[in-house]
C-alpha cells in the first residue's frame, strides 16, 4: 500500500497543474497521479476526496491512450463511487472499454449504489438518500453539480406521499422541473402534476410545482389542503432575496408546520438555522465534493497583449473586452454561457457577438414565430439567426424555455444571460464566461461568484467545467449560516410578527406582537385586514385607511357595477395605491412613472392590445428598448406588483366602506387583477396562460375551448377534437403539447 504523505500529495498537485497547462502528461506521471488518487478517494476528508475527483476528471479530460492508465482510471472511478464516470468516459474514448478488466466485486459494489428504479447514485448521493430515509426531515447544502434535484424524484418514487409540494424560486426552474416530471412515467402515473392555480385537483395524489408566491396563494384558497412532503430549492433565498425573502420565509413556515417530511436544498452554505432544525426535529448535511470539476482562467489579472491559453488555443488579451469575448467564443470547444449583470447589456453583448458570426444563417420555427408575434427587428431574431441566444427575466416564459431547450440541444452554442440562468437552471454549458462583476447595481458577492462558476459543466456531459473571468471578482466563498428569520431574528418587523403564530413568538417579538395588536386596536383596524395584505408595510395600509376615512366622498366616487372600474376611477385607484401602498422601488421607478404606468394599464385593460401593439406604446428609440420595456411592464407590474397593490386596495376600501356605510364587499377588483395577470378574464384562456401557453396560440384556439373552465377539460376536449388546433402551425402545435 502506498503511504500518502504530504510530499506525495504536493507532487500530485504540481502534476495536476502541469496537466491543466499542457493538456497531457507522460504515462509515468499519469500513473503517479492515479495511484495517489486511489488512496485519496477512500478518505473521509472532503478536501482529500475532492482532490481525488479532480485527478479523475482531469485525466479523463486528457484522454490518455495507454491501456494500463485506463485500468488505473477505472479502479479510481470504482473507488470514487461515481460510477457514471465510466459511461461518460466510454463516450469519449471507445478504446476504454476494451482496455479494462473488472470482476464480480466491482459489479457488486456498483449494484450497492443502484436503486431499484435503476438510478445509480454517487457516494454522497447515497449517503444523502439514506439520511432522508432515516430522518425524513433534511436540509442539504451541496455543490451545483451534486444532483440534489435528482434525489427529489427518488424520494417521491420510494415514498407513499399523498400530496407533495415542489417550491421553486424561478419560472425557468419551475418549467424545467415540470417537464422533467412529465417525462418520468412512474411519477406521472401516480400523481397529478399541478403547476397552475386554475387546475382542478382531488384530495390526494397531487404534486404541486409552484413558486413561493403561488404556493402561498394555494394554501390561502385551500385551507384544508394537507401537504405531507415538500421540497424547496435554492433555500438560501429565504435570507438572500431582498425583494422576495419574506414570501419565501412565510411559505417555508407554513409548509414546515404542516408537512411530516421535507427536503430543503441549496448550494454552498455552511450551516442552517439551529432554531429551525431544533423546532422541526430536522437534520442538516453539507457536502463539498464537486463531481464536475471547475478550471478558472482569470484574464482580468493579465496585462494588455499578454498571452494566455484556453483549451490549447492561444490568445492575447486586448483592451476591448468585447473583442476578447468574440475571439474566445470563436475558438473554445463546448457550449458557452456568458454572464452579464443587466438585461440591456445582455442584449448588447449578444448582438455584438452575432454581428461577428459569419457563414451562419439559421432559420427555424422559433425565429419565425418571434417575428410574427413580437417584432422582426428585435435583436433576439438576429442573434438566433447566428446561433446565439440571450436570456433574462423580462423575456416571455415560453421563449425562455425554448431558448434553453435550443441551447441544450446544440442549436444555439452561445447563450448570454443574467442571473436568471445561473440560479438553479441546468444547462449543457461547458464554459461560463463572467463578463461583468456586478448583479444589477451591486457587485457580485463571493457567494454569487461561486454559484455562477458552479454552472460550468454538467454531470454526465462534462468532466470539467471551464470558467473565464473578464473582471476582478470577490473571492469565492460559501454563505455561513442561513437564518430563518421567524425563529432567529429577535427583532422582527411588525409585518413579519403578525404572520407568525403567537406560540412561535418569544421575548421581544411576542411583546412587539402584543403592542402591534394594541396599536391596531387603537386605530380601530382589524388585525385580519392587515394580515391579509401580506408584507405591505402596516404604516402604508394605515395611511390609506385614514385617507379614506377622512375623504368619504371618494368612497362614493369609486363605486362601480361593471366588470372593471371606469377609466377615471382606475386612474384614481392607481394614484391612491401609488401615494399610499407602493414600495419605494416601485414608487421611484424612472422607467415607469405613475402617469406612464396609469396610461399603459388603462390601455391594457380597456383595449386588450396584442404584444406587438403594446410594444409600440413604449418609450425608447430602439426596438430592443421598447420590447424590453413592454415585457418588464408585463412581468413586473401587470403580473406581480399591481395585482398585489390592487388586492390590498380592495380589502382596505371595502373595510372602510363597511365601517362608515355598513355595506360589505361593495367593490371587486378581481376581474381587473385577473386581466392584468393573465391578459384575459375567460376561464379557459386563464388556464392556458397559467399553463405557459403563449398568448398568440391561445387566441387561435380560444373559441373552440370556450366551454372549458379548467386545464383538465381543455386537455380532454383537445384529445377528443384535434381539429380545434387545425389553424395552428406545426411549431405552435409542438409548443402547445409541451405545456399540455
Amino acid at each position: 500500500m502506498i503511504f500518502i504523505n504530504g510530499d506525495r500529495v504536493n507532487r500530485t498537485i504540481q502534476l495536476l497543474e502541469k496537466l491543466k497547462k499542457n493538456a497531457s502528461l507522460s504515462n509515468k506521471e499519469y500513473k503517479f497521479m492515479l495511484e495517489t488518487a486511489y488512496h485519496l478517494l477512500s478518505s473521509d476528508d472532503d478536501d482529500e476526496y475532492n482532490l481525488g475527483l479532480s485527478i479523475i476528471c482531469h485525466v479523463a479530460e486528457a484522454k490518455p491512450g495507454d491501456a494500463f492508465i485506463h485500468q488505473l482510471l477505472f479502479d479510481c472511478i470504482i473507488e470514487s463511487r461515481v460510477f457514471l464516470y465510466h459511461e461518460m468516459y466510454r463516450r469519449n474514448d471507445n478504446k476504454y472499454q476494451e482496455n479494462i478488466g473488472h470482476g464480480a466485486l466491482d459489479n457488486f459494489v456498483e449494484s450497492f449504489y443502484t436503486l431499484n428504479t435503476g438510478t445509480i447514485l454517487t457516494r454522497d448521493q447515497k449517503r444523502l438518500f439514506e439520511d432522508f430515509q432515516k430522518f425524513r426531515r433534511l436540509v442539504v447544502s451541496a455543490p451545483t453539480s451534486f444532483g440534489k434535484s435528482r434525489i427529489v424524484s427518488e424520494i417521491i418514487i420510494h415514498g407513499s406521499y399523498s400530496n407533495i409540494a415542489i417550491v421553486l424560486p424561478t419560472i425557468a426552474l419551475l418549467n424545467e422541473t415540470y417537464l422533467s416530471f412529465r417525462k418520468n412515467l412512474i411519477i406521472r402515473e401516480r400523481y397529478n402534476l399541478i403547476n397552475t392555480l386554475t387546475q382542478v385537483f382531488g384530495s390526494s395524489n397531487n404534486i404541486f410545482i409552484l413558486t413561493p408566491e403561488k404556493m402561498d396563494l394555494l394554501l390561502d384558497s385551500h385551507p384544508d389542503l394537507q401537504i405531507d412532503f415538500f421540497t424547496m430549492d435554492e433555500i438560501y433565498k429565504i435570507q438572500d432575496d431582498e425583494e422576495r425573502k419574506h414570501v419565501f420565509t412565510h411559505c417555508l413556515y407554513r409548509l414546515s408546520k404542516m408537512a411530516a417530511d421535507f427536503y430543503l436544498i441549496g448550494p454552498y452554505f455552511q450551516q442552517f438555522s439551529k432554531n429551525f432544525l431544533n423546532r422541526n426535529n430536522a437534520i442538516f448535511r453539507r457536502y463539498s465534493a464537486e463531481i464536475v470539476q471547475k478550471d478558472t482562467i482569470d484574464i482580468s489579472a493579465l496585462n494588455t497583449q499578454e498571452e494566455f491559453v484556453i483549451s490549447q488555443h492561444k490568445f492575447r488579451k486586448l483592451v476591448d473586452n468585447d473583442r476578447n469575448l468574440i475571439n474566445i467564443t470563436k475558438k473554445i470547444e463546448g457550449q458557452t454561457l456568458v454572464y452579464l449583470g443587466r438585461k440591456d447589456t445582455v442584449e448588447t453583448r449578444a448582438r455584438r457577438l452575432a454581428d461577428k458570426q459569419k457563414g451562419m444563417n439559421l432559420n427555424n420555427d422559433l425565429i419565425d414565430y418571434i417575428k410574427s408575434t413580437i417584432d422582426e427587428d428585435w435583436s433576439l431574431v438576429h442573434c438566433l439567426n447566428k446561433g446565439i441566444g440571450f436570456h433574462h427575466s423580462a423575456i416571455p416564459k415560453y421563449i425562455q424555455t425554448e431558448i434553453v431547450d435550443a441551447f441544450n440541444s446544440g442549436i444555439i452554442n452561445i447563450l448570454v444571460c443574467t442571473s436568471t440562468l445561473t440560479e438553479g437552471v441546468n444547462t449543457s454549458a461547458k464554459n461560463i464566461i463572467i463578463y461583468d462583476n456586478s448583479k444589477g447595481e451591486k457587485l457580485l458577492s463571493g457567494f454569487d461568484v461561486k454559484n455562477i462558476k458552479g454552472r460550468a459543466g454538467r454531470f454526465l456531459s462534462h468532466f470539467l467545467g471551464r470558467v473565464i473571468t473578464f473582471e476582478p471578482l470577490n473571492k469565492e466563498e460559501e454563505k455561513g449560516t442561513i437564518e430563518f428569520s421567524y425563529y432567529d431574528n429577535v427583532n422582527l418587523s411588525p409585518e413579519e410578527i403578525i404572520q407568525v403564530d403567537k406560540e412561535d413568538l418569544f421575548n421581544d417579538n411576542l411583546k412587539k406582537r402584543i403592542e402591534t395588536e394594541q396599536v391596531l386596536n387603537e386605530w380601530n383596524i382589524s388585525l385580519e385586514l392587515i394580515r391579509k395584505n401580506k408584507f405591505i408595510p402596516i404604516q402604508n395600509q394605515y395611511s390609506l385607511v385614514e385617507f379614506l376615512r377622512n375623504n368619504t366622498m371618494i368612497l362614493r366616487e369609486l363605486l362601480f357595477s361593471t366588470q372593471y372600474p371606469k377609466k377615471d376611477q382606475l386612474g384614481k385607484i392607481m394614484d391612491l395605491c401609488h401615494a399610499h401602498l407602493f414600495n419605494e422601488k416601485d414608487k421611484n421607478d424612472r422607467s415607469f412613472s405613475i402617469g406612464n404606468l396609469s396610461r399603459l394599464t388603462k390601455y391594457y385593460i380597456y383595449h386588450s392590445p396584442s404584444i406587438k401593439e403594446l410594444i409600440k406604446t413604449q418609450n425608447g428609440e430602439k426596438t430592443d428598448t421598447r420590447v424590453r420595456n413592454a415585457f418588464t411592464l408585463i412581468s413586473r407590474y401587470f403580473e406581480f406588483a399591481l395585482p398585489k397593490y390592487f388586492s390590498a386596495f380592495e380589502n382596505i376600501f371595502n373595510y372602510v366602506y363597511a365601517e362608515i356605510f355598513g355595506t360589505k364587499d361593495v367593490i371587486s377588483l378581481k376581474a381587473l387583477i385577473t386581466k392584468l395577470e393573465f391578459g384575459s378574464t375567460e376561464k379557459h384562456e386563464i388556464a392556458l396562460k397559467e399553463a405557459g401557453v403563449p398568448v398568440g396560440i391561445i387566441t387561435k384556439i380560444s373559441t373552440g375551448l370556450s366551454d372549458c373552465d379548467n386545464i383538465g377539460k381543455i386537455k380532454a376536449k383537445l384529445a377528443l377534437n384535434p381539429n380545434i388546433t387545425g389553424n395552428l402551425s406545426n411549431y405552435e402545435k409542438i409548443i402547445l403539447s409541451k405545456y399540455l
Side-chain angles (χ1 to χ4, degrees):
M1 177 177 175
I2 296 172
F3 177 66
I4 304 300
N5 58 28
D7 290 342
R8 185 177 182 94
V9 170
N10 289 336
R11 172 61 178 152
T12 299
I13 292 171
Q14 290 171 1
L15 288 174
L16 187 58
E17 292 305 312
K18 180 180 177 181
L19 178 57
K20 291 177 186 179
K21 185 177 180 180
N22 299 336
S24 67
L25 297 173
S26 69
N27 287 342
K28 183 179 179 181
E29 289 170 322
Y30 281 132
K31 177 177 178 293
F32 185 91
M33 287 178 65
L34 289 169
E35 286 176 341
T36 307
Y38 185 85
H39 295 278
L40 291 169
L41 290 162
S42 63
S43 173
D44 289 327
D45 180 87
D46 286 349
D47 290 337
E48 291 183 355
Y49 179 74
N50 205 46
L51 176 57
L53 291 183
S54 184
I55 293 167
I56 288 176
C57 290
H58 282 87
V59 171
E61 183 83 359
K63 293 194 289 190
D66 183 77
F68 180 64
I69 301 303
H70 282 181
Q71 184 65 54
L72 289 177
L73 181 60
F74 173 87
D75 293 340
C76 285
I77 290 172
I78 292 290
E79 191 64 22
S80 76
R81 305 304 193 253
V82 187
F83 302 99
L84 290 171
Y85 279 157
H86 292 311
E87 181 184 329
M88 293 167 60
Y89 196 71
R90 278 195 292 268
R91 289 200 299 268
N92 286 349
D93 187 347
N94 54 20
K95 290 184 179 179
Y96 174 69
Q97 188 65 35
E98 300 170 10
N99 287 338
I100 59 174
H102 55 90
L105 181 60
D106 297 328
N107 292 332
F108 172 77
V109 171
E110 183 170 337
S111 70
F112 186 67
Y113 287 80
T114 305
L115 301 180
N116 55 15
T117 55
T119 299
I120 302 173
L121 301 180
T122 67
R123 183 197 75 166
D124 288 349
Q125 285 173 343
K126 182 170 174 58
R127 290 176 178 178
L128 191 159
F129 187 71
E130 288 175 345
D131 275 345
F132 182 83
Q133 300 304 317
K134 181 178 179 181
F135 298 110
R136 315 304 292 183
R137 289 185 158 204
L138 208 58
V139 183
V140 176
S141 168
T144 53
S145 59
F146 183 90
K148 300 178 292 294
S149 55
R150 193 167 171 235
I151 301 297
V152 174
S153 298
E154 296 302 327
I155 288 173
I156 292 172
I157 291 169
H158 287 82
S160 55
Y161 299 113
S162 180
N163 287 314
I164 295 168
I166 311 291
V167 184
L168 302 159
T170 64
I171 295 297
L173 192 53
L174 190 152
N175 288 342
E176 177 189 313
T177 303
Y178 174 70
L179 295 174
S180 172
F181 277 18
R182 273 185 57 182
K183 293 174 185 175
N184 190 310
L185 290 177
I186 300 174
I187 290 177
R188 199 173 67 195
E189 288 176 0
R190 194 186 300 177
Y191 291 99
N192 306 307
L193 300 181
I194 311 294
N195 67 330
T196 74
L197 296 185
T198 57
Q199 287 172 260
V200 175
F201 56 86
S203 59
S204 62
N205 298 104
N206 302 298
I207 298 180
F208 301 95
I209 309 170
L210 300 168
T211 61
E213 291 85 355
K214 296 290 188 184
M215 192 69 226
D216 201 42
L217 287 172
L218 179 76
L219 295 176
D220 284 344
S221 57
H222 295 82
D224 295 328
L225 176 64
Q226 287 296 310
I227 302 294
D228 46 3
F229 168 71
F230 76 96
T231 181
M232 287 185 76
D233 202 357
E234 308 294 299
I235 193 62
Y236 63 89
K237 286 181 173 288
I238 64 170
Q239 75 170 29
D240 198 49
D241 192 313
E242 280 303 316
E243 192 167 2
R244 298 170 70 204
K245 65 182 179 183
H246 296 303
V247 72
F248 275 86
T249 298
H250 190 59
C251 183
L252 174 56
Y253 175 68
R254 297 180 76 176
L255 288 171
S256 64
K257 287 181 72 73
M258 176 193 304
D261 299 349
F262 57 70
Y263 172 58
L264 310 180
I265 51 181
Y268 309 128
F269 57 93
Q270 295 176 352
Q271 188 51 264
F272 198 78
S273 164
K274 290 256 190 322
N275 287 324
F276 180 90
L277 296 174
N278 291 337
R279 292 199 198 189
N280 288 285
N281 195 27
I283 299 296
F284 173 72
R285 290 288 184 261
R286 176 176 171 267
Y287 298 92
S288 60
E290 298 272 5
I291 57 176
V292 179
Q293 292 287 310
K294 322 297 179 190
D295 282 349
T296 298
I297 301 99
D298 180 11
I299 71 167
S300 72
L302 303 179
N303 297 318
T304 302
Q305 292 300 317
E306 190 171 344
E307 193 175 86
F308 61 97
V309 177
I310 304 175
S311 184
Q312 296 181 283
H313 298 290
K314 291 184 178 180
F315 302 92
R316 288 192 183 278
K317 181 181 176 180
L318 306 177
V319 175
D320 183 357
N321 269 341
D322 279 354
R323 290 182 64 192
N324 289 324
L325 181 64
I326 291 163
N327 291 342
I328 290 169
T329 53
K330 275 184 177 179
K331 289 187 177 180
I332 58 172
E333 82 285 352
Q335 291 176 287
T336 302
L337 281 182
V338 182
Y339 169 82
L340 289 110
R342 289 177 15 203
K343 298 168 194 166
D344 55 345
T345 54
V346 159
E347 295 168 4
T348 302
R349 297 283 95 69
R351 179 94 194 193
R352 290 179 183 173
L353 277 172
D355 287 342
K356 297 298 181 179
Q357 295 289 320
K358 295 180 180 178
M360 293 185 71
N361 190 19
L362 296 179
N363 185 19
N364 64 28
D365 293 326
L366 175 60
I367 296 171
D368 293 339
Y369 193 73
I370 292 171
K371 284 181 180 178
S372 65
T373 59
I374 298 176
D375 196 305
E376 63 181 12
D377 293 326
W378 189 20
S379 280
L380 186 59
V381 172
H382 173 65
C383 292
L384 290 173
N385 267 319
K386 299 294 184 178
I388 293 168
F390 60 77
H391 190 292
H392 56 63
S393 60
I395 293 175
K397 300 174 186 66
Y398 78 93
I399 295 181
Q400 289 184 26
T401 300
E402 292 300 300
I403 287 172
V404 172
D405 286 351
F407 182 74
N408 287 340
S409 63
I411 296 171
I412 296 171
N413 291 317
I414 301 170
L415 187 47
V416 188
C417 65
T418 59
S419 60
T420 55
L421 271 187
T422 57
E423 294 183 347
V425 178
N426 292 310
T427 73
S428 56
K430 179 177 179 64
N431 312 299
I432 297 282
I433 296 178
I434 305 179
Y435 189 101
D436 282 347
N437 60 3
S438 61
K439 184 179 179 182
E441 302 302 317
K442 297 180 180 179
L443 283 176
L444 290 170
S445 68
F447 172 78
D448 291 327
V449 171
K450 192 170 183 67
N451 205 12
I452 293 169
K453 287 185 174 184
R455 303 297 162 187
R458 186 175 184 179
F459 185 50
L460 299 182
S461 298
H462 310 114
F463 287 101
L464 297 179
R466 187 183 296 119
V467 181
I468 304 156
T469 62
F470 281 14
E471 296 287 344
L473 301 172
N474 279 318
K475 184 180 178 181
E476 288 180 57
E477 64 180 11
E478 295 191 348
K479 288 187 175 296
T481 298
I482 303 298
E483 293 189 340
F484 182 71
S485 62
Y486 283 9
Y487 298 159
D488 294 328
N489 189 345
V490 296
N491 187 28
L492 289 172
S493 70
E495 290 76 24
E496 291 173 305
I497 280 175
I498 63 172
Q499 300 297 338
V500 182
D501 294 341
K502 265 188 176 176
E503 65 263 24
D504 291 324
L505 294 171
F506 300 94
N507 302 323
D508 287 348
N509 285 329
L510 181 58
K511 181 181 176 183
K512 191 185 292 185
R513 168 65 175 267
I514 295 168
E515 290 171 349
T516 301
E517 290 180 1
Q518 289 172 344
V519 170
L520 290 174
N521 190 50
E522 290 169 9
W523 290 344
N524 196 24
I525 298 175
S526 79
L527 175 66
E528 197 50 44
L529 171 69
I530 302 299
R531 288 185 73 173
K532 195 184 295 184
N533 302 323
K534 291 175 184 171
F535 306 115
I536 291 180
I538 294 175
Q539 68 271 16
N540 291 14
Q541 297 187 57
Y542 170 71
S543 173
L544 180 56
V545 168
E546 284 299 287
F547 179 86
L548 294 175
R549 282 172 173 170
N550 295 323
N551 295 271
T552 54
M553 289 190 317
I554 286 180
L555 292 171
R556 297 289 196 189
E557 289 174 10
L558 294 181
L559 293 178
F560 61 93
S561 56
T562 50
Q563 186 181 32
Y564 307 125
K566 294 172 184 169
K567 283 187 181 180
D568 64 325
Q569 290 175 317
L570 178 55
K572 287 180 181 177
I573 290 171
M574 290 202 67
D575 286 342
L576 288 172
C577 287
H578 182 261
H580 298 281
L581 300 180
F582 271 38
N583 63 32
E584 290 303 309
K585 182 177 180 180
D586 292 337
K587 187 176 281 191
N588 299 320
D589 188 344
R590 287 178 293 179
S591 299
F592 294 100
S593 66
I594 185 57
N596 189 30
L597 187 59
S598 185
R599 174 183 65 85
L600 291 167
T601 303
K602 291 174 187 174
Y603 178 56
Y604 193 73
I605 293 297
Y606 301 112
H607 296 279
S608 300
S610 66
I611 291 295
K612 276 195 165 187
E613 290 168 332
L614 190 64
I615 289 168
K616 290 177 182 176
T617 67
Q618 301 303 304
N619 297 324
E621 294 182 12
K622 296 180 180 179
T623 300
D624 281 7
T625 304
R626 293 194 297 273
V627 171
R628 189 186 328 114
N629 286 346
F631 288 141
T632 299
L633 173 69
I634 292 171
S635 62
R636 173 158 185 81
Y637 287 100
F638 291 172
E639 295 180 349
F640 179 67
L642 289 182
K644 175 179 65 175
Y645 296 133
F646 287 157
S647 178
F649 182 89
E650 176 192 313
N651 293 334
I652 292 170
F653 183 95
N654 284 332
Y655 180 83
V656 176
Y657 195 98
E659 178 184 69
I660 293 174
F661 298 112
T663 308
K664 295 181 177 181
D665 301 328
V666 289
I667 67 167
S668 173
L669 299 180
K670 288 180 175 54
L672 174 67
I673 291 168
T674 301
K675 180 66 179 285
L676 287 170
E677 287 185 312
F678 302 105
S680 173
T681 56
E682 299 294 329
K683 288 185 177 179
H684 65 290
E685 293 185 352
I686 293 169
L688 287 166
K689 177 69 183 299
E690 199 174 20
V693 180
V695 173
I697 294 176
I698 294 173
T699 303
K700 289 185 178 182
I701 63 175
S702 176
T703 303
L705 299 170
S706 59
D707 57 342
C708 301
D709 58 5
N710 63 65
I711 207 73
K713 291 180 181 178
I714 289 171
K715 290 179 182 179
K717 188 162 187 181
L718 289 174
L720 293 168
N721 189 359
N723 291 333
I724 292 172
T725 63
N727 60 343
L728 298 182
S729 68
N730 286 334
Y731 179 67
E732 288 173 323
K733 290 177 181 176
I734 291 170
I735 292 180
L736 184 64
S737 67
K738 183 177 289 187
Y739 294 103
L740 299 184

